Short mmCIF file of all heavy atoms in Angstrom, two decimals:
data_model
loop_
_atom_site.label_atom_id
_atom_site.label_comp_id
_atom_site.label_asym_id
_atom_site.label_seq_id
_atom_site.Cartn_x
_atom_site.Cartn_y
_atom_site.Cartn_z
N ALA A 29 57.66 27.38 21.53
CA ALA A 29 58.38 26.15 21.87
C ALA A 29 57.61 25.42 22.98
O ALA A 29 56.90 26.06 23.77
CB ALA A 29 59.77 26.50 22.37
N HIS A 30 57.73 24.10 23.01
CA HIS A 30 56.98 23.32 24.01
C HIS A 30 57.92 22.47 24.85
O HIS A 30 58.80 21.80 24.30
CB HIS A 30 55.96 22.41 23.29
CG HIS A 30 55.29 21.43 24.22
ND1 HIS A 30 55.06 20.12 23.88
CD2 HIS A 30 54.82 21.56 25.49
CE1 HIS A 30 54.47 19.50 24.88
NE2 HIS A 30 54.31 20.35 25.87
N LEU A 31 57.72 22.50 26.17
CA LEU A 31 58.47 21.60 27.06
C LEU A 31 57.49 20.78 27.90
O LEU A 31 56.70 21.34 28.67
CB LEU A 31 59.39 22.41 27.99
CG LEU A 31 60.19 21.57 29.00
CD1 LEU A 31 61.18 20.64 28.28
CD2 LEU A 31 60.95 22.45 29.99
N ASP A 32 57.56 19.46 27.71
CA ASP A 32 56.79 18.53 28.54
C ASP A 32 57.68 18.27 29.77
O ASP A 32 58.61 17.47 29.70
CB ASP A 32 56.54 17.25 27.72
CG ASP A 32 55.98 16.11 28.55
OD1 ASP A 32 55.81 16.28 29.78
OD2 ASP A 32 55.71 15.05 27.96
N THR A 33 57.39 18.95 30.88
CA THR A 33 58.30 18.87 32.02
C THR A 33 58.27 17.50 32.70
O THR A 33 59.21 17.14 33.40
CB THR A 33 58.01 19.97 33.07
OG1 THR A 33 56.69 19.77 33.61
CG2 THR A 33 58.10 21.35 32.47
N GLY A 34 57.19 16.73 32.46
CA GLY A 34 57.13 15.36 33.00
C GLY A 34 58.31 14.52 32.49
O GLY A 34 58.80 13.63 33.18
N LEU A 35 58.76 14.85 31.27
CA LEU A 35 59.88 14.08 30.69
C LEU A 35 61.15 14.23 31.52
O LEU A 35 61.96 13.31 31.59
CB LEU A 35 60.16 14.54 29.26
CG LEU A 35 59.24 14.05 28.16
CD1 LEU A 35 59.73 14.56 26.81
CD2 LEU A 35 59.16 12.53 28.15
N LEU A 36 61.33 15.41 32.13
CA LEU A 36 62.53 15.63 32.97
C LEU A 36 62.51 14.65 34.15
O LEU A 36 63.52 14.00 34.46
CB LEU A 36 62.58 17.07 33.48
CG LEU A 36 62.52 18.19 32.43
CD1 LEU A 36 62.46 19.54 33.12
CD2 LEU A 36 63.74 18.12 31.52
N TYR A 37 61.34 14.56 34.80
CA TYR A 37 61.22 13.67 35.96
C TYR A 37 61.27 12.21 35.54
O TYR A 37 61.82 11.35 36.23
CB TYR A 37 59.93 13.99 36.74
CG TYR A 37 59.97 15.36 37.36
CD1 TYR A 37 59.46 16.46 36.68
CD2 TYR A 37 60.59 15.57 38.58
CE1 TYR A 37 59.54 17.75 37.22
CE2 TYR A 37 60.67 16.85 39.13
CZ TYR A 37 60.14 17.92 38.44
OH TYR A 37 60.23 19.18 38.98
N ARG A 38 60.68 11.92 34.38
CA ARG A 38 60.74 10.54 33.87
C ARG A 38 62.20 10.15 33.59
O ARG A 38 62.63 9.04 33.92
CB ARG A 38 59.90 10.42 32.58
CG ARG A 38 58.41 10.43 32.86
CD ARG A 38 57.59 10.52 31.58
NE ARG A 38 56.17 10.56 31.91
CZ ARG A 38 55.35 9.51 31.84
NH1 ARG A 38 55.77 8.36 31.37
NH2 ARG A 38 54.09 9.61 32.21
N ALA A 39 62.94 11.06 32.97
CA ALA A 39 64.34 10.75 32.64
C ALA A 39 65.15 10.52 33.91
O ALA A 39 65.98 9.61 33.97
CB ALA A 39 64.95 11.89 31.82
N VAL A 40 64.89 11.33 34.94
CA VAL A 40 65.60 11.13 36.22
C VAL A 40 65.19 9.78 36.83
O VAL A 40 66.02 9.01 37.31
CB VAL A 40 65.28 12.28 37.21
CG1 VAL A 40 65.81 11.97 38.60
CG2 VAL A 40 65.86 13.59 36.70
N GLY A 41 63.89 9.48 36.76
CA GLY A 41 63.37 8.24 37.35
C GLY A 41 63.94 6.98 36.72
O GLY A 41 64.24 6.02 37.43
N VAL A 42 64.09 6.98 35.40
CA VAL A 42 64.56 5.76 34.73
C VAL A 42 66.08 5.64 34.70
O VAL A 42 66.61 4.58 34.39
CB VAL A 42 64.01 5.60 33.28
CG1 VAL A 42 62.50 5.56 33.26
CG2 VAL A 42 64.54 6.69 32.38
N LYS A 43 66.77 6.73 35.01
CA LYS A 43 68.24 6.70 34.92
C LYS A 43 68.85 5.77 35.97
O LYS A 43 69.91 5.19 35.76
CB LYS A 43 68.79 8.11 35.07
CG LYS A 43 70.07 8.31 34.28
CD LYS A 43 70.40 9.76 34.10
CE LYS A 43 71.77 9.90 33.45
NZ LYS A 43 72.21 11.29 33.41
N GLY A 44 68.15 5.60 37.09
CA GLY A 44 68.68 4.72 38.14
C GLY A 44 69.77 5.42 38.94
O GLY A 44 70.17 6.54 38.62
N GLY A 45 70.24 4.75 39.98
CA GLY A 45 71.28 5.34 40.84
C GLY A 45 70.70 6.47 41.68
O GLY A 45 69.49 6.51 41.96
N ASP A 46 71.56 7.40 42.05
CA ASP A 46 71.15 8.50 42.92
C ASP A 46 70.33 9.52 42.11
O ASP A 46 70.84 10.13 41.16
CB ASP A 46 72.44 9.16 43.47
CG ASP A 46 72.13 10.42 44.27
OD1 ASP A 46 70.95 10.63 44.61
OD2 ASP A 46 73.07 11.19 44.52
N PRO A 47 69.04 9.71 42.48
CA PRO A 47 68.19 10.61 41.68
C PRO A 47 68.69 12.05 41.65
O PRO A 47 68.55 12.73 40.63
CB PRO A 47 66.81 10.54 42.36
CG PRO A 47 66.91 9.58 43.47
CD PRO A 47 68.31 9.08 43.59
N LEU A 48 69.31 12.51 42.73
CA LEU A 48 69.79 13.89 42.74
C LEU A 48 70.94 14.06 41.75
O LEU A 48 70.99 15.04 40.99
CB LEU A 48 70.22 14.30 44.16
CG LEU A 48 70.71 15.74 44.28
CD1 LEU A 48 69.68 16.73 43.75
CD2 LEU A 48 71.06 16.06 45.73
N LYS A 49 71.83 13.07 41.73
CA LYS A 49 72.94 13.12 40.78
C LYS A 49 72.37 13.09 39.35
O LYS A 49 72.83 13.82 38.47
CB LYS A 49 73.87 11.93 41.03
CG LYS A 49 75.09 11.95 40.15
CD LYS A 49 76.14 10.96 40.60
CE LYS A 49 77.27 10.92 39.58
NZ LYS A 49 77.51 9.60 39.04
N ALA A 50 71.36 12.23 39.14
CA ALA A 50 70.75 12.12 37.81
C ALA A 50 70.14 13.46 37.39
O ALA A 50 70.27 13.89 36.25
CB ALA A 50 69.69 11.03 37.81
N ALA A 51 69.48 14.14 38.34
CA ALA A 51 68.85 15.43 38.02
C ALA A 51 69.89 16.49 37.70
O ALA A 51 69.72 17.29 36.77
CB ALA A 51 67.98 15.89 39.19
N LYS A 52 71.00 16.47 38.45
CA LYS A 52 72.03 17.50 38.26
C LYS A 52 72.81 17.30 36.96
O LYS A 52 73.40 18.24 36.45
CB LYS A 52 73.01 17.48 39.44
CG LYS A 52 72.43 18.16 40.67
CD LYS A 52 73.45 18.18 41.79
CE LYS A 52 73.01 19.06 42.94
NZ LYS A 52 73.79 18.80 44.16
N THR A 53 72.84 16.05 36.48
CA THR A 53 73.65 15.77 35.29
C THR A 53 72.78 15.43 34.07
O THR A 53 73.28 14.86 33.11
CB THR A 53 74.61 14.58 35.56
OG1 THR A 53 73.82 13.46 35.96
CG2 THR A 53 75.61 14.90 36.64
N LEU A 54 71.49 15.77 34.15
CA LEU A 54 70.58 15.43 33.06
C LEU A 54 71.08 16.06 31.74
O LEU A 54 71.39 17.25 31.70
CB LEU A 54 69.19 15.97 33.40
CG LEU A 54 68.01 15.22 32.80
CD1 LEU A 54 67.99 13.77 33.24
CD2 LEU A 54 66.71 15.91 33.20
N ALA A 55 71.14 15.24 30.69
CA ALA A 55 71.64 15.73 29.40
C ALA A 55 70.52 15.61 28.36
O ALA A 55 69.60 14.81 28.54
CB ALA A 55 72.83 14.89 28.98
N PRO A 56 70.59 16.42 27.28
CA PRO A 56 69.51 16.38 26.28
C PRO A 56 69.21 14.97 25.78
O PRO A 56 68.05 14.62 25.56
CB PRO A 56 70.07 17.26 25.15
CG PRO A 56 71.01 18.19 25.84
CD PRO A 56 71.60 17.43 26.99
N GLU A 57 70.26 14.14 25.63
CA GLU A 57 69.99 12.79 25.09
C GLU A 57 69.18 11.93 26.06
O GLU A 57 68.51 10.99 25.64
CB GLU A 57 71.28 12.07 24.66
CG GLU A 57 72.34 11.91 25.74
CD GLU A 57 73.32 13.09 25.78
OE1 GLU A 57 72.96 14.19 25.31
OE2 GLU A 57 74.43 12.90 26.31
N ASP A 58 69.22 12.27 27.36
CA ASP A 58 68.41 11.52 28.33
C ASP A 58 66.91 11.68 28.05
O ASP A 58 66.10 10.86 28.46
CB ASP A 58 68.68 12.00 29.76
CG ASP A 58 70.09 11.69 30.22
OD1 ASP A 58 70.64 10.65 29.79
OD2 ASP A 58 70.66 12.49 30.99
N LEU A 59 66.56 12.80 27.39
CA LEU A 59 65.14 13.06 27.12
C LEU A 59 64.66 12.36 25.86
O LEU A 59 63.48 12.43 25.51
CB LEU A 59 64.89 14.57 26.99
CG LEU A 59 65.29 15.40 28.21
CD1 LEU A 59 64.98 16.87 27.99
CD2 LEU A 59 64.56 14.91 29.46
N ASN A 60 65.59 11.70 25.15
CA ASN A 60 65.21 11.02 23.90
C ASN A 60 65.05 9.51 24.07
O ASN A 60 64.84 8.80 23.09
CB ASN A 60 66.28 11.27 22.82
CG ASN A 60 66.31 12.72 22.44
OD1 ASN A 60 65.29 13.41 22.50
ND2 ASN A 60 67.48 13.22 22.07
N ARG A 61 65.19 9.01 25.31
CA ARG A 61 65.07 7.57 25.52
C ARG A 61 63.68 7.09 25.12
O ARG A 61 62.67 7.74 25.41
CB ARG A 61 65.29 7.23 27.00
CG ARG A 61 66.74 7.27 27.42
CD ARG A 61 66.86 6.99 28.88
NE ARG A 61 66.33 5.68 29.26
CZ ARG A 61 66.83 4.93 30.23
NH1 ARG A 61 67.87 5.36 30.92
NH2 ARG A 61 66.29 3.78 30.53
N ALA A 62 63.64 5.92 24.48
CA ALA A 62 62.38 5.41 23.95
C ALA A 62 61.41 4.97 25.05
O ALA A 62 60.20 4.92 24.83
CB ALA A 62 62.66 4.25 23.00
N ASP A 63 61.95 4.65 26.24
CA ASP A 63 61.08 4.08 27.29
C ASP A 63 60.48 5.13 28.23
O ASP A 63 59.84 4.79 29.21
CB ASP A 63 61.87 3.04 28.10
CG ASP A 63 63.15 3.62 28.71
OD1 ASP A 63 63.46 4.78 28.42
OD2 ASP A 63 63.81 2.90 29.47
N LEU A 64 60.64 6.40 27.92
CA LEU A 64 60.18 7.44 28.86
C LEU A 64 58.67 7.52 29.00
O LEU A 64 58.16 7.99 30.00
CB LEU A 64 60.72 8.81 28.47
CG LEU A 64 62.22 9.05 28.63
CD1 LEU A 64 62.55 10.51 28.38
CD2 LEU A 64 62.70 8.63 30.02
N ARG A 65 57.93 7.06 27.99
CA ARG A 65 56.47 7.21 28.02
C ARG A 65 55.76 6.04 28.71
O ARG A 65 54.54 6.03 28.80
CB ARG A 65 55.92 7.32 26.59
CG ARG A 65 56.53 8.45 25.80
CD ARG A 65 55.76 9.72 25.96
NE ARG A 65 56.40 10.84 25.28
CZ ARG A 65 56.16 12.10 25.56
NH1 ARG A 65 55.31 12.43 26.49
NH2 ARG A 65 56.77 13.07 24.91
N SER A 66 56.51 5.05 29.16
CA SER A 66 55.86 3.87 29.75
C SER A 66 55.24 4.19 31.11
O SER A 66 55.59 5.18 31.76
CB SER A 66 56.89 2.74 29.92
OG SER A 66 57.81 3.11 30.94
N MET A 67 54.29 3.34 31.54
CA MET A 67 53.66 3.50 32.86
C MET A 67 54.72 3.41 33.96
O MET A 67 54.66 4.11 34.96
CB MET A 67 52.62 2.39 33.10
CG MET A 67 51.38 2.44 32.23
SD MET A 67 50.25 3.79 32.63
CE MET A 67 49.41 3.12 34.07
N GLU A 68 55.71 2.51 33.76
CA GLU A 68 56.77 2.33 34.76
C GLU A 68 57.59 3.62 34.92
O GLU A 68 57.93 4.01 36.04
CB GLU A 68 57.71 1.18 34.37
CG GLU A 68 57.08 -0.20 34.38
CD GLU A 68 56.12 -0.45 33.23
OE1 GLU A 68 56.26 0.22 32.17
OE2 GLU A 68 55.21 -1.29 33.39
N ALA A 69 57.88 4.25 33.79
CA ALA A 69 58.65 5.51 33.86
C ALA A 69 57.82 6.58 34.58
O ALA A 69 58.36 7.38 35.35
CB ALA A 69 59.03 5.97 32.46
N GLY A 70 56.49 6.57 34.36
CA GLY A 70 55.62 7.53 35.03
C GLY A 70 55.62 7.32 36.54
O GLY A 70 55.68 8.28 37.31
N GLU A 71 55.60 6.06 36.93
CA GLU A 71 55.67 5.69 38.35
C GLU A 71 56.97 6.18 38.97
O GLU A 71 57.00 6.81 40.02
CB GLU A 71 55.69 4.16 38.47
CG GLU A 71 54.39 3.46 38.79
CD GLU A 71 53.65 4.08 39.94
OE1 GLU A 71 54.12 4.04 41.11
OE2 GLU A 71 52.59 4.62 39.65
N ALA A 72 58.07 5.85 38.29
CA ALA A 72 59.41 6.23 38.78
C ALA A 72 59.52 7.74 38.87
O ALA A 72 60.06 8.30 39.84
CB ALA A 72 60.48 5.67 37.84
N ALA A 73 58.94 8.44 37.88
CA ALA A 73 58.98 9.91 37.86
C ALA A 73 58.26 10.48 39.07
O ALA A 73 58.75 11.38 39.76
CB ALA A 73 58.33 10.43 36.57
N SER A 74 57.08 9.92 39.34
CA SER A 74 56.27 10.43 40.44
C SER A 74 57.00 10.26 41.78
O SER A 74 56.88 11.09 42.68
CB SER A 74 54.94 9.68 40.41
OG SER A 74 54.13 10.04 41.48
N ARG A 75 57.78 9.19 41.88
CA ARG A 75 58.54 8.96 43.13
C ARG A 75 59.69 9.96 43.28
O ARG A 75 59.82 10.60 44.33
CB ARG A 75 59.12 7.53 43.15
CG ARG A 75 58.06 6.49 43.36
CD ARG A 75 58.63 5.08 43.33
NE ARG A 75 57.55 4.12 43.19
CZ ARG A 75 56.74 3.77 44.17
NH1 ARG A 75 56.91 4.25 45.38
NH2 ARG A 75 55.76 2.91 43.96
#
Side-chain angles (χ1 to χ4, degrees):
H30 171 221
L31 178 64
D32 170 358
T33 63
L35 282 183
L36 305 175
Y37 294 93
R38 286 171 181 260
V40 170
V42 301
K43 211 164 174 187
D46 174 13
L48 181 54
K49 184 167 174 238
K52 283 183 170 164
T53 57
L54 208 60
E57 57 271 22
D58 294 326
L59 302 181
N60 294 330
R61 284 177 60 147
D63 56 354
L64 291 188
R65 304 270 176 199
S66 69
M67 292 288 281
E68 293 73 25
E71 261 312 293
S74 176
R75 288 178 194 284

